[in-house]
Amino acid sequence: MSTISVAAGAEAPHPEDAARSGHTYNVGTRKSKLALKQTELVLTETVKAFPKYVFAVKAKDTAAGDIDKVTPFKDMPVKNIWTHELETLMVEGDLDFLVHSLKDVPTQLPSNCEIGATLAREDPRDAFVIKAGRDHCRIQDLPSGSVVGTSSIRRTAQIAMVYPHLVVKDLRGNIGTRLNKLDAEDSPFDAIILAAAGLIRIDLSHRISQFLDSKNGNMLHAVGQGAIGIENRSDDSKVKEIITKINHLPTFYSTIAERSLLRTIEGGCSAPLGIETTWIGHDRLQLKAVVISLNGKEFAEVEMVEQVTNVQEAEEMGQTGATEILQRGADRILAEIKAKRPTTVTDLEET
């Protein structure tokens, strides 16, 4: 893998000297503009916390989602379409830790890998983006038959439920590619939906026409959306020391609860799961979740508030939420989806 950039602390020796002393760490990520920006945000924090260390960014684009830009994510036969190659390199010792968009990371990791830390979460909501030059509007203002682009079955199912008069078409590519497809003169799209965090991080927030959530647009975001996850080998104590120092616990605990809920309900099928977590005070977490049939005609939802002060409580909250939503009908919805679409991809869009 080629070295894309090097981040060195203020007190770090020359990179060659740092390598000999064991103070250089190889950081894996993808080559997209968003992935490199997120890695830069992580390393800004690591060099502050460990000014004597050097971090070399190694980027690779051999993920299934980067190579195959045609097949819809929901129809790909693998689950870890963004992470597998990088995880293999980390397990083999070529990389020390990985930086991901957490929503792209499967809830089931290799046995010796873990999400060891997260940075403070950017806005987790979805963003409604209209074609350039069009008069400002919200998703609920679109006339019947308008075409909305997305690659997410979660978004597709929620649109089918809340806005059945709209048409959804699959849209692939990184943020720039998707915006170009939207703005093209012959574009079939009237609007698209992206993760707000990605647009904000690469200075494109001006393209956001509307933020979507449970109170505005009536759409919930993906598990882990807006969070940068740092994946490490679970037996690497040196890396654990580094990333623990920059871990943002409110984000870490809330995303653990979200991922625990999704992990519990997945059952080997694509899961149109929308979720929303909000802190009430410093130790009480509110969680809302909905599972929707692909045609939008059936849904099951849960809303709960629990005290969360550690990893175990976060895991248990997710498991409790999963049990409740399954009992309220999500089990039937997911069984039907599994029968129709025997895949294992769950909402793994990059943007």
Side-chain angles (χ1 to χ4, degrees):
M1 292 179 71
S2 59
T3 299
I4 300 295
S5 62
V6 175
E11 303 171 23
H14 187 276
E16 291 183 3
D17 295 330
R20 283 193 292 269
S21 65
H23 287 170
T24 294
Y25 295 87
N26 292 322
V27 183
T29 190
R30 294 171 55 230
K31 286 185 177 179
S32 73
K33 183 176 181 180
L34 178 58
L36 294 173
K37 178 61 179 180
Q38 292 176 161
T39 304
E40 177 188 323
L41 293 172
V42 169
L43 299 189
T44 296
E45 299 303 315
T46 59
V47 296
K48 285 180 187 176
F50 295 88
K52 295 182 179 181
Y53 291 0
V54 173
F55 300 89
V57 178
K58 310 279 188 175
K60 192 175 185 68
D61 266 357
T62 59
D66 290 310
I67 295 172
D68 183 350
K69 297 183 181 297
V70 177
T71 305
F73 294 135
K74 66 181 183 299
D75 294 330
M76 285 188 175
V78 295
K79 188 172 203 173
N80 51 347
I81 61 174
W82 303 120
T83 62
H84 173 72
E85 295 285 343
L86 291 172
E87 285 172 339
T88 299
L89 289 167
M90 184 174 70
V91 169
E92 292 174 350
D94 296 314
L95 298 171
D96 295 301
F97 61 90
L98 312 176
V99 177
H100 302 295
S101 291
L102 187 57
K103 70 183 178 66
D104 293 341
V105 181
T107 58
Q108 297 284 357
L109 298 177
S111 60
N112 52 345
C113 297
E114 65 184 8
I115 299 298
T118 56
L119 292 194
R121 199 172 201 168
E122 184 51 87
D123 194 318
R125 294 176 291 180
D126 274 341
F128 176 69
V129 180
I130 59 174
K131 190 178 181 72
R134 180 180 181 137
D135 291 339
H136 175 80
C137 72
R138 303 167 300 168
I139 189 169
Q140 54 264 50
D141 300 328
L142 288 176
S144 180
S146 296
V147 177
V148 179
T150 179
S151 59
S152 161
I153 62 168
R154 169 186 57 84
R155 292 170 181 152
T156 299
Q158 289 188 94
I159 290 172
M161 181 176 74
V162 184
Y163 307 105
H165 62 287
L166 301 180
V167 176
V168 176
K169 289 191 176 181
D170 191 66
L171 176 66
R172 291 286 305 277
N174 60 33
I175 292 175
T177 299
R178 296 189 196 199
L179 290 174
N180 288 337
K181 288 180 179 180
L182 169 66
D183 295 338
E185 210 169 296
D186 59 349
S187 172
F189 303 107
D190 296 290
I192 62 177
I193 300 178
L194 303 170
L199 291 165
I200 292 168
R201 285 183 180 130
I202 61 173
D203 300 320
L204 288 173
S205 57
H206 62 279
R207 291 300 308 263
I208 300 174
S209 299
Q210 179 186 15
F211 290 95
L212 302 172
D213 59 21
S214 60
K215 296 178 181 178
N216 186 2
N218 199 23
M219 292 181 65
L220 303 186
H221 59 73
V223 166
Q225 188 159 304
I228 298 174
I230 305 172
E231 185 177 1
N232 58 285
R233 294 185 297 271
S234 54
D235 60 354
D236 192 331
S237 58
K238 287 185 177 180
V239 167
K240 280 188 173 184
E241 178 187 3
I242 294 170
I243 64 177
T244 297
K245 194 79 175 285
I246 66 170
N247 192 19
H248 185 256
L249 288 177
T251 300
F252 192 58
Y253 293 154
S254 62
T255 54
I256 285 175
E258 293 174 14
R259 286 170 60 79
S260 173
L261 188 151
L262 178 58
R263 184 186 307 113
T264 305
I265 73 165
E266 272 178 334
C269 69
S270 298
L273 169 72
I275 204 159
E276 191 173 273
T277 50
T278 308
W279 285 100
I280 302 172
H282 70 282
D283 65 353
R284 292 180 64 76
L285 186 63
Q286 180 185 57
L287 182 151
K288 299 178 183 179
V290 62
V291 172
I292 306 172
S293 63
L294 298 181
N295 62 11
K297 294 182 178 179
E298 295 182 81
F299 70 94
E301 57 189 349
V302 66
E303 181 172 348
M304 57 193 298
V305 178
E306 297 284 350
Q307 178 174 294
V308 175
T309 60
N310 55 50
V311 169
Q312 182 177 342
E313 289 176 348
E315 289 277 2
E316 290 174 352
M317 182 180 190
Q319 292 164 3
T320 300
T323 299
E324 289 192 20
I325 202 169
L326 288 170
Q327 291 174 345
R328 295 178 184 184
D331 56 347
R332 184 182 66 257
I333 294 170
L334 293 172
E336 291 176 358
I337 293 172
K338 185 177 181 180
K340 293 177 181 178
R341 299 180 183 273
T343 65
T344 58
V345 176
T346 57
D347 223 6
L348 296 177
E349 73 278 17
E350 180 200 0
T351 53

